[in-house]
Amino acid sequence: MPNIRALPETLQKIACEELNEIPERIDDDLRDFREWIQRQRHLKARTDDQFLISFLRGCKYSLEKAKSKIDKYYTLKSKYPEFYTIQDIDDPKVIELYKMGIGLHLPTPLHDNGPRIQYVRPGNYPTDKYTFTDVMAIANAFQELNMRFDDYCVVNGYIQILDMSCYSASHILQMTPNVVRKISTFAEDALPLRQRAVHIINASPTFDILLNMVRSLMPVKQQQRLFIHGSNMESLYEHIPLKYLPKELGGENSSFDEINKLQWKVFQEYRDYFIENKKYGVDESLRENKSSDYAQIFGIEGSFRKLIVD
């Protein structure tokens, strides 16, 4: 028997119908996937059942896609550790930045058994002390926890609400083309979680201009998942009913403070897990086949400074 959590009946039905999961074959599927990983000299990955099944489900049980994703997952983490991993879990800056509650995972999924809702406040940090790279390191760590412990997120994917209320020109300057590509590439090519939609609220006219530039750097699928609502909350409610939003927006889905305290508790409980993550990655000198040229994909570092000045 596979060493994984049993899914609630409604989720198991979705996993079978939409993700091609066949419960009687899970053991064999996991074995084949694990044996392939163990044959890759360049790749050192976690191989426990619960971790691996997130890739199989995220790839709708296409073993070839799962192989590609887990390879790129660890390749990107090894090549750009400062962006995709937390380097020092006990760094006071990491703790301080986390407690700002930039990313909040609402406890009740959409329609009670649908995609997980992630409420993100990308401008909720001081740019004179932190960079967006610092923010993404923590965000990517929490996405890994979602892979392991959030069956709704793994099976149904996630929806993000980006609240741009505090997003300023200094935040925009940190959102370089390089950063945008790192975010979109990881989400599309490496993360075994399905991004179902991104809803942007409370954006300024300046951000709208930036967004038009950012769109061209995003894969077509991600462009199609993007919805801009401005300050029109009624437009958002058409996609996400009010009851599934946090109390601060008049909803019933917990409060910012309650969610942040719970996430901090989880973060502390898995301190050793994140430290152990340093053991995993890729050694390019041992790779037999050529990997993706991410230096070429991401390009040189630049900024949108001219946009702000003009």
Side-chain angles (χ1 to χ4, degrees):
M1 291 290 291
N3 186 21
I4 59 175
R5 287 183 302 276
L7 294 177
E9 184 177 348
T10 53
L11 272 188
Q12 185 62 72
K13 186 172 185 291
I14 293 170
C16 292
E17 294 178 353
E18 298 184 14
L19 306 184
N20 304 318
E21 183 162 294
I22 302 173
E24 297 78 15
R25 281 191 49 85
I26 290 177
D27 247 344
D28 291 338
D29 291 329
L30 286 169
R31 185 197 64 238
D32 292 345
F33 192 18
R34 183 180 298 106
E35 289 179 352
W36 176 84
I37 292 171
Q38 291 169 345
R39 291 196 299 270
Q40 309 311 302
R41 294 175 59 239
H42 71 285
L43 176 61
K44 184 173 177 57
R46 290 184 179 274
T47 56
D48 60 276
D49 289 353
Q50 195 67 59
F51 183 73
L52 293 185
I53 201 167
S54 65
F55 283 89
L56 290 175
R57 286 171 172 163
C59 297
K60 298 185 177 182
Y61 279 83
S62 165
L63 184 57
E64 292 308 308
K65 288 182 180 179
K67 292 175 184 177
S68 176
K69 269 201 186 273
I70 200 168
D71 193 343
K72 290 176 180 176
Y73 183 83
Y74 281 111
T75 297
L76 285 166
K77 283 178 174 288
S78 297
K79 191 171 182 62
Y80 304 101
E82 72 289 346
F83 195 91
Y84 296 113
T85 68
I86 297 177
Q87 296 296 286
D88 181 1
I89 199 74
D90 298 317
D91 185 342
K93 289 182 68 175
V94 169
I95 296 171
E96 183 181 25
L97 186 59
Y98 170 78
K99 289 185 174 180
M100 292 175 187
I102 297 169
L104 303 169
H105 300 195
L106 307 190
T108 303
L110 185 63
H111 305 310
D112 299 318
N113 62 359
R116 180 64 64 193
I117 304 170
Q118 301 177 357
Y119 195 89
V120 185
R121 301 178 287 181
N124 208 44
Y125 70 96
T127 55
D128 59 344
K129 189 172 183 179
Y130 302 101
T131 68
F132 199 68
T133 292
D134 299 326
V135 173
M136 287 309 302
I138 293 177
N140 286 317
F142 264 95
Q143 288 291 44
E144 180 162 345
L145 291 183
N146 287 334
M147 289 163 51
R148 294 196 66 91
F149 306 112
D150 188 347
D151 293 324
Y152 286 97
C153 194
V154 171
V155 173
N156 287 323
Y158 63 96
I159 292 170
Q160 288 184 325
I161 301 172
L162 303 188
D163 187 342
M164 313 305 292
S165 299
C166 300
Y167 206 70
S168 66
S170 60
H171 291 99
I172 292 176
L173 290 175
Q174 291 188 353
M175 188 62 71
T176 67
N178 186 299
V179 165
V180 173
R181 291 191 185 99
K182 282 180 178 177
I183 295 171
S184 60
T185 298
F186 191 73
E188 193 71 22
D189 297 347
L191 191 67
L193 299 175
R194 293 184 295 162
Q195 185 188 68
R196 308 298 291 269
V198 177
H199 298 273
I200 298 179
I201 61 174
N202 299 321
S204 68
T206 300
F207 181 78
D208 287 340
I209 297 172
L210 171 67
L211 186 60
N212 289 328
M213 299 177 66
V214 168
R215 279 181 189 270
S216 65
L217 304 174
M218 299 168 64
V220 174
K221 285 185 179 179
Q222 290 187 1
Q223 294 181 39
Q224 294 171 342
R225 300 176 193 140
L226 194 59
F227 300 89
I228 315 298
H229 304 284
S231 58
N232 181 5
M233 297 303 291
E234 293 296 330
S235 173
L236 177 66
Y237 301 157
E238 293 176 7
H239 299 268
I240 305 174
L242 182 59
K243 68 171 289 189
Y244 295 104
L245 296 175
K247 292 177 181 178
E248 285 80 357
L249 297 184
E252 304 170 15
N253 208 351
S254 196
S255 69
F256 293 159
D257 185 56
E258 291 169 339
I259 297 168
N260 204 36
K261 285 179 179 178
L262 178 60
Q263 289 186 173
W264 173 241
K265 181 180 178 181
V266 172
F267 192 69
Q268 289 180 305
E269 287 176 356
Y270 289 93
R271 174 183 175 277
D272 291 343
Y273 176 90
F274 288 118
I275 292 175
E276 187 181 291
N277 264 352
K278 293 183 179 180
K279 299 191 310 186
Y280 304 106
V282 299
D283 182 344
E284 293 295 344
S285 68
L286 299 176
R287 186 188 291 273
E288 295 180 3
N289 299 315
K290 186 178 180 181
S291 65
S292 299
D293 186 356
Y294 287 112
Q296 182 177 22
I297 293 172
F298 297 151
I300 60 173
E301 194 62 71
S303 77
F304 293 109
R305 183 173 300 275
K306 188 175 187 297
L307 168 68
I308 307 304
V309 173
D310 291 348

